[in-house]
Each structure stands twice: as C-alpha cells, then as structure tokens.
Amino acid sequence: MPKDAEPRDIRHDWTRAEIAALYDLPFGDLMFHAQTLHRRYFAPNQVQLSTLLSIKTGGCPEDCAYCPQSAHYETSIGADKLMEVDAVLAEARTAKSQGAQRFCMGAAWREPKDRDLDAVCAMVSGVKALGLETCATLGMLTADQAQRLKTAGLDYYNHNLDTAPEYYGAIITTRAYQDRLDTLDRVRAAGMKVCCGGIVGMGENREHRVGMIAALTNLAEHPESVPINQLVKVAGTPLADAGSLDELEFVRTIAVARVCMPKAVVRLSAGREGMSEALQALCFLAGANSIFCGPRLLTTPNPARDADRDMMDRLGLSPMAS
Ligand code: SF4
C-alpha cells in the first residue's frame, strides 16, 4: 500500500519527543494504548513462531560488544564451518514438525562471500520447499547478493539496527550505522521483507531506547518483523557485567514499539530464558506477538519447546497462521 494510503496509525514522522512521551505514560495507559493498536491490526491471542539456527557459528570479524561469536573476545564459542545443506534441512524438518512457521538461518559473517552464498541459497530453496517461511541473517549484503537470496526464495532478511545511532559506536566499531541502513535498503529493493529491531539492556539509557525506536519507525517502510531483544550477558564479552534493565522498562519498550509500528509483528526475542512467565505475559499484553521457539537462539539458551507450549496454553495463545 502506498504510504499516502496507509491508515493514520502508521507514521514515519515520529519525533523523539513524541516517543519519549509514550515511554513516560502511566504504565496502564501505555499498555492500553498498545493493546488497542494490537487488537486493531492482529488477532490478539495469536503468536508467530520462528526457529533460529546458527548455520555458521563463531569466528566473526565484527566486534559487537554483546556477541559471543565475535573473534575479538575470549568466549566459549569456537569457530565452525558453514553447515552442510542437508544438515540444515534436517533441522528445518524438525522445526516444522515441532510447530515452527518460519525458519531463520544465522551466520556469523561480516558479509557473505559469494561462494558461501551458493550454499545458503540452496538452504533457502530447500527450506522453502518444506513449506516454511524463510529468513536469514548473514551480515551486510550487496544488491546482487540480496537479489540472489530473493530469487532463491528468501522471504525475510534480518539485519538489526541494534540501538540508537548515537550509542552505536559504544557497541560496534567495525561497521557504521549507515552500513546497516544501506543493507536494509538493498533488502527492500530486492523485494524481501525486513526483520529489524534492536537490543536493550546494553548500558544504554532511555534516550537511546527512544532513539532506537525512532530509527526503526522512521524507516521508509516499517519492518514487517521487529525483534526486541533483552541482552543475554555472556562471559568474555565486554557486556558480560552490564547492569540489568528494569523489567517494566523492557515491557515499556515492547509497548512503544507496538504503538509506533502497529502493523509489525513484534518479537519477544533473546533473553526469554531469563524471564519469568509473568514477565513474558506482560510483554504479550504490551503487543509482542512472536517468539523464537527451540532450545537455542544461535549460541545462547532459549526456553524448551514444551515449556513454551505450556506457557502458551496457560495464556490461551495459539500459533499465528503464516
Ligand atoms: S552479532 Fe553478528 S556481526 Fe556481530 S559479532 Fe556477532 S555474529 Fe558477528
């Protein structure tokens, strides 16, 4: 839909002051606002289920301060080669049999080499043929690489903005914010859907969280999928001892993302393993309507599938149709 035909809830001109005012609302008012918009655009008790597999783990040349896969830090994660296509497809079959609707493939690269992309394209085509939605996160892309992935059947490309532009340099020094935006433009130009969000709890302040939401919501098109991650502190990374974010501030961030991007699927992403079910329930109330299911998220733990099924049953949540 062209932007001038979009409903007026869908805005690309949010100011930081307006977003900060959302954060400042009384908690109940913010939740009501987020719930109202959630129910306008989505079936409120449906949750999109994705599974994320690390297809190439560790040894990444980037220096993202939160990431145990960076070669810059001494962590317990070693460097593996790209998985074989058949092994990835076996994982995708398992994910599908256990209820996943989308299969996301993550590789610890700054950007893919063209020869690696041949194998990734074969994975994408194979996963698509299983009847799953496909997503990949492979680092920065050229226009040609984005087109190749689209042709192979890639539905979504994940590339997070991570944080506010002005805090980005405290987290990553090996690439610039603009590099991220350029890759997002190439993904859009190739006709793929965008999965793009950020991480909170990295020592940023609320102004930075406001800036992150502003950067996301003022993209030319809102991402179809917005993962909001809670930092998972991993020994050996520079953020291993970061202070913990207030839980209600995390819920507020979900709610503000829901209000500012009402049509986006907002994913309660990394960090769920450390959250109580009550906190996750508040996040669903705030407008989160997607989770990663399966016991690992790339290299960090995630709740077991049975635990998630049980939680969804108790909350009366069901899987969203693809
Ligand atoms: S987050 Fe991605 S790009 Fe950054 S170090 Fe980890 S694997 Fe590399």
Side-chain angles (χ1 to χ4, degrees), residues 187-254:
V187 169
R188 279 287 182 217
M192 287 182 282
K193 293 178 182 151
V194 166
C195 173
C196 180
I199 309 171
V200 295
M202 299 195 293
E204 80 287 344
N205 59 30
R206 177 177 285 180
E207 211 174 307
H208 299 135
R209 290 187 282 280
V210 166
M212 176 185 80
I213 300 283
L216 291 168
T217 196
N218 292 332
L219 291 169
E221 281 182 69
H222 292 171
E224 283 79 3
S225 173
V226 178
I228 301 293
N229 297 278
Q230 167 91 281
L231 174 71
V232 177
K233 299 172 203 170
V234 182
T237 64
L239 293 178
D241 299 316
S244 294
L245 185 70
D246 173 64
E247 290 183 344
L248 293 184
E249 181 72 6
F250 183 78
V251 179
R252 281 182 185 275
T253 302
I254 298 267

Side-chain angles (χ1 to χ4, degrees), residues 60-64 66-71 107-110 139 175 180:
C60 182
E62 302 283 60
D63 69 350
C64 309
Y66 51 81
C67 182
Q69 300 197 68
S70 169
W109 288 323
R110 175 177 167 79
R175 58 169 189 259
R180 303 299 264 182

